[in-house]
Amino acid sequence: MSLDTADRPTARLCAFIAELEFEQIPPRVVRFAKGLMIDWLGSTLAGKGARQVEIIDGFARAMGPADGPSLVIPTRRRTSPYFAAMVNAAASHVVEQDDVHNGSVFHPAAVIFPAVLAVAEAEGKTGREILTACIAGYEVGIRVGEFLGRSHYQIFHTTGTAVTVAAAAAVGKLIGLGAAGINHALGSASTQAAGLWELLRDAADSKQLHTARAAANGLCAAFLARDGFKGAAQILEGKKGMAAGMSSDAVPARLTDGLGSRWATEETSFKWHASCRHTHPAADALQLLMRREGLGPDDIAEVVTQVHQGAIDVLGAVDIPQTVHQAKFSMGTVLGLIAVNGVADLDAFERQALADAGVTRFRSKVRMEFEIDSLYAIASLNDVCRRLGKSIDHSRVWNIQAIPPTLREALTIAAKHVNDDIVHPPTGISNISEWCKKDQCWTRLQGTLDKLEAALPDEFFEDLLSLEEQGEERKDAKVTQKIDNGIEAQKRVFDIPAHQWRTIMQELGRKRVLTPRETGVLQVAVQMPAKIPTEKQCLVLIGVLEKARNEGLVALAAEEEDA
């Protein structure tokens, strides 16, 4: 595939899409795209009957033809491709279970599939043509979202902006536009792209309007281009283009990153909870923890979720949700559903999100905190200290069970320093997560430590330990930890009655997993309180309890924990 075009990212992107053939797409990507389509269809059907969808469908009925070649999925009626795409895209984005791409922070399926399938029905396209067009849309949309960067997402709903461009590319590919025609389509689509996050503050219905208009506008742009309508050639990266007005950290190289080798479509993920994707890591963690530890909602006093800035920008606007849809953007509500119901699915949101007293109580226990980029930030601080022959006083952090203000300030400065560097990876790399895993990322950061050291406050350096002081701290910590371990082991051993130790000895002896030393120590334990195990013997007995768990003696382990 030749990309010998003018040295403009948009032009290269359009050439790639125009020349893309089904046979060039890896089979695994095709299979993945089929899964994305099935997932999208489920989300669209789930949107049937939603108030927002019915209003948009009412508009389509009033303004569009009463019949046509394209199916409106929620109502099973037919109309023109334009209005079918509009209604189906609105329905796709109601229940918050449509797919998501993390790097571009948007939901491609909700716009791309409605636009492509509506046109495909009208034009009699084959399955291969449909899949090629949809994958083209994903490849374009994801790169446009990554190009616009995180600053764009702070204000703009990327699913309403970048995916408008994706829809134009997908439909343009489907109807056979060449590179110039796709470029014109992208120009007309981008100049219509819109979607503002202010909707979250008062539970506005704009989110469904964003996807509806994105699908319809992208489709419109492609058909206009087919008829000779011209769009701006550098609408994405131009001086008065999309990035100039909607982003402060756009990187044009991301528009063409890995074309033909990196298939961004397969980076898209499915959503298991019926809520904003930013709530999912915390929901997964809480669900796993409660199941593993056998906890109920009343057993939990507080939940602190550490999240990145993008999550705070979107979820921070919702305190006490007023609608079910707004509840999907409330971290407290989502975790409340997990705690009370075990899941945060469609049914749980409809029945419990607003009215359930248990969910309401749990919501008040949840708070979000901005997560300091600790791995690289702490590593950078440690390297600064090491160069000075100093060390952070980790023992102080442990002793007070908090991060001292001077260290917190230093971590914040280091986190910003690290973030400012890693969000600008070398040309050709657009996936920041993958860039951070490379040795070159850390090597480049180490070259900026002088700048970081100059930015740190004097108070931070005053609190550092010398290497000699650090050695003394380690010695003291080892002694303290040894004492703590011994006391804790004795307490646990003494809490278990002698008859229970006898049962453990018999069961593990039958399985022949005990060492001679463990058998000898157990013979002391079965005689409590006549004989008392020493501190060292108690540590051995703790190891025996772990063996009991590993051998599947669940009842014994449970009884020991309940004691």
Side-chain angles (χ1 to χ4, degrees):
M1 180 179 298
S2 172
L3 291 179
D4 186 18
T5 62
D7 188 21
R8 298 196 306 270
T10 301
R12 291 187 61 204
L13 188 62
C14 293
F16 171 79
I17 296 305
E19 297 174 26
L20 179 65
E21 300 292 340
F22 179 83
E23 292 73 20
Q24 295 169 316
I25 304 171
R28 70 176 191 279
V29 178
V30 174
R31 287 194 298 272
F32 195 82
K34 291 178 181 178
L36 293 172
M37 184 180 293
I38 294 170
D39 181 70
W40 162 79
L41 181 59
S43 290
T44 307
L45 290 170
K48 175 182 172 62
R51 179 183 55 81
Q52 306 96 315
V53 176
E54 292 187 342
I55 292 173
I56 290 175
D57 185 48
F59 171 81
R61 288 175 184 272
M63 299 295 174
D67 195 11
S70 303
L71 180 68
V72 177
I73 293 174
T75 62
R76 310 299 293 172
R77 72 182 183 87
R78 290 189 174 273
T79 185
S80 68
Y82 181 88
F83 284 103
M86 180 187 296
V87 178
N88 290 338
S92 305
H93 204 45
V94 172
V95 298
E96 289 296 329
Q97 289 212 258
D98 43 335
D99 65 16
V100 62
H101 185 272
N102 288 340
S104 52
V105 206
F106 74 167
H107 306 277
V111 174
I112 293 171
F113 287 120
V116 169
L117 290 176
V119 173
E121 281 192 284
E123 307 241 335
K125 298 298 182 179
T126 67
R128 286 188 167 204
E129 289 172 321
I130 291 169
L131 284 168
T132 302
C134 290
I135 291 169
Y138 271 75
E139 297 299 314
V140 169
I142 288 169
R143 286 171 171 82
V144 171
E146 292 176 336
F147 154 69
L148 290 171
R150 296 287 169 155
S151 65
H152 177 79
Y153 187 71
Q154 291 176 359
I155 304 296
F156 294 96
H157 183 201
T158 320
T159 306
T161 55
V163 196
T164 303
V165 185
V171 174
K173 177 64 181 176
L174 186 70
I175 63 177
L177 297 183
I182 292 175
N183 203 329
H184 287 311
L186 265 57
S188 294
S190 299
T191 203
Q192 300 177 81
L196 297 166
W197 277 124
E198 185 63 23
L199 67 96
L200 293 175
R201 296 188 186 278
D202 43 16
D205 297 328
S206 307
K207 215 162 180 276
Q208 289 70 50
L209 183 62
H210 293 172
T211 52
R213 297 305 305 160
N217 288 343
L219 184 157
C220 170
F223 275 85
L224 289 175
R226 186 168 73 173
D227 290 340
F229 198 89
K230 294 182 179 180
Q234 291 182 277
I235 192 67
L236 298 175
E237 75 273 30
K239 292 182 179 180
K240 295 188 178 181
M242 196 172 185
M246 294 180 162
S247 173
S248 61
D249 61 348
V251 180
R254 293 175 182 165
L255 289 170
T256 56
D257 174 52
L259 285 175
S261 58
R262 172 206 172 201
W263 293 94
T265 301
E266 61 182 342
E267 298 168 2
T268 310
S269 61
F270 300 96
K271 294 171 69 175
W272 301 107
H273 308 293
S275 60
C276 174
R277 185 65 175 82
H278 293 309
T279 67
H280 286 210
D284 289 339
L286 181 64
Q287 188 179 59
L288 176 64
L289 182 65
M290 293 185 71
R291 287 175 179 174
R292 188 186 71 195
E293 302 298 330
L295 299 174
D298 294 334
D299 298 321
I300 299 172
E302 183 183 30
V303 177
V304 179
T305 64
Q306 293 188 321
V307 296
H308 57 83
Q309 188 59 51
I312 291 176
D313 290 339
V314 173
L315 304 178
V318 181
D319 185 11
I320 300 176
Q322 302 301 311
T323 66
V324 170
H325 190 260
Q326 195 179 39
K328 296 171 182 283
F329 292 83
S330 162
M331 179 70 84
T333 303
V334 174
L335 298 191
L337 288 172
I338 293 289
V340 172
N341 200 54
V343 295
D345 59 13
L346 299 180
D347 184 58
F349 269 100
E350 291 295 333
R351 290 187 299 103
Q352 297 173 290
L354 302 179
D356 189 273
V359 172
T360 300
R361 283 196 304 273
F362 197 88
R363 182 171 60 219
S364 65
K365 301 177 183 181
V366 177
R367 61 185 175 89
M368 293 189 297
E369 280 187 357
F370 173 67
E371 179 183 19
I372 295 174
D373 193 355
S374 57
L375 293 179
Y376 274 142
I378 291 175
S380 298
L381 280 182
N382 280 335
D383 268 22
V384 168
C385 296
R386 194 176 297 114
R387 297 193 312 174
L388 300 172
K390 301 273 189 177
S391 169
I392 294 171
D393 189 351
H394 297 102
S395 295
R396 183 186 176 201
V397 175
W398 172 255
N399 291 335
I400 66 175
Q401 290 293 292
I403 300 177
T406 53
L407 179 55
R408 177 170 287 278
E409 182 183 1
L411 280 169
T412 302
I413 293 170
K416 185 178 186 307
H417 173 84
V418 167
N419 182 74
D420 290 346
D421 185 83
I422 64 176
V423 297
H424 296 103
T427 301
I429 298 177
S430 65
N431 190 318
I432 294 176
S433 296
E434 292 303 315
W435 164 238
C436 289
K437 298 174 185 176
K438 297 181 181 294
D439 291 339
Q440 301 96 304
C441 179
W442 175 237
T443 300
R444 193 175 81 172
L445 272 172
Q446 287 179 307
T448 68
L449 292 182
D450 286 338
K451 182 179 178 182
L452 173 59
E453 183 179 338
L456 295 170
D458 293 339
E459 293 79 7
F460 169 71
F461 296 104
E462 293 170 1
D463 287 346
L464 297 179
L465 296 176
S466 67
L467 294 182
E468 291 180 359
E469 291 172 323
Q470 183 184 12
E472 291 300 320
E473 288 278 353
R474 285 177 177 170
K475 288 181 184 178
D476 293 343
K478 286 181 179 178
V479 172
T480 301
Q481 187 62 56
K482 184 177 180 181
I483 294 171
D484 289 345
N485 288 345
I487 293 172
E488 177 62 23
Q490 287 177 316
K491 180 179 183 300
R492 290 180 64 189
V493 168
F494 297 161
D495 282 343
I496 301 173
H499 76 271
Q500 182 68 26
W501 284 114
R502 183 175 300 279
T503 303
I504 291 174
M505 183 171 68
Q506 291 171 346
E507 293 293 332
L508 293 183
R510 187 176 298 114
K511 292 175 177 286
R512 297 184 178 181
V513 296
L514 291 172
T515 66
R517 185 185 183 198
E518 289 170 336
T519 301
V521 173
L522 278 167
Q523 288 172 347
V524 175
V526 300
Q527 298 180 61
M528 292 191 301
K531 287 190 176 182
I532 301 297
T534 66
E535 181 181 302
K536 288 185 178 180
Q537 288 174 331
C538 287
L539 292 172
V540 173
L541 290 169
I542 295 302
V544 171
L545 287 175
E546 188 61 31
K547 278 190 177 181
R549 290 192 184 90
N550 293 339
E551 290 298 321
L553 303 180
V554 179
L556 301 181
E559 185 172 336
E560 179 265 321
E561 288 183 355
D562 290 341

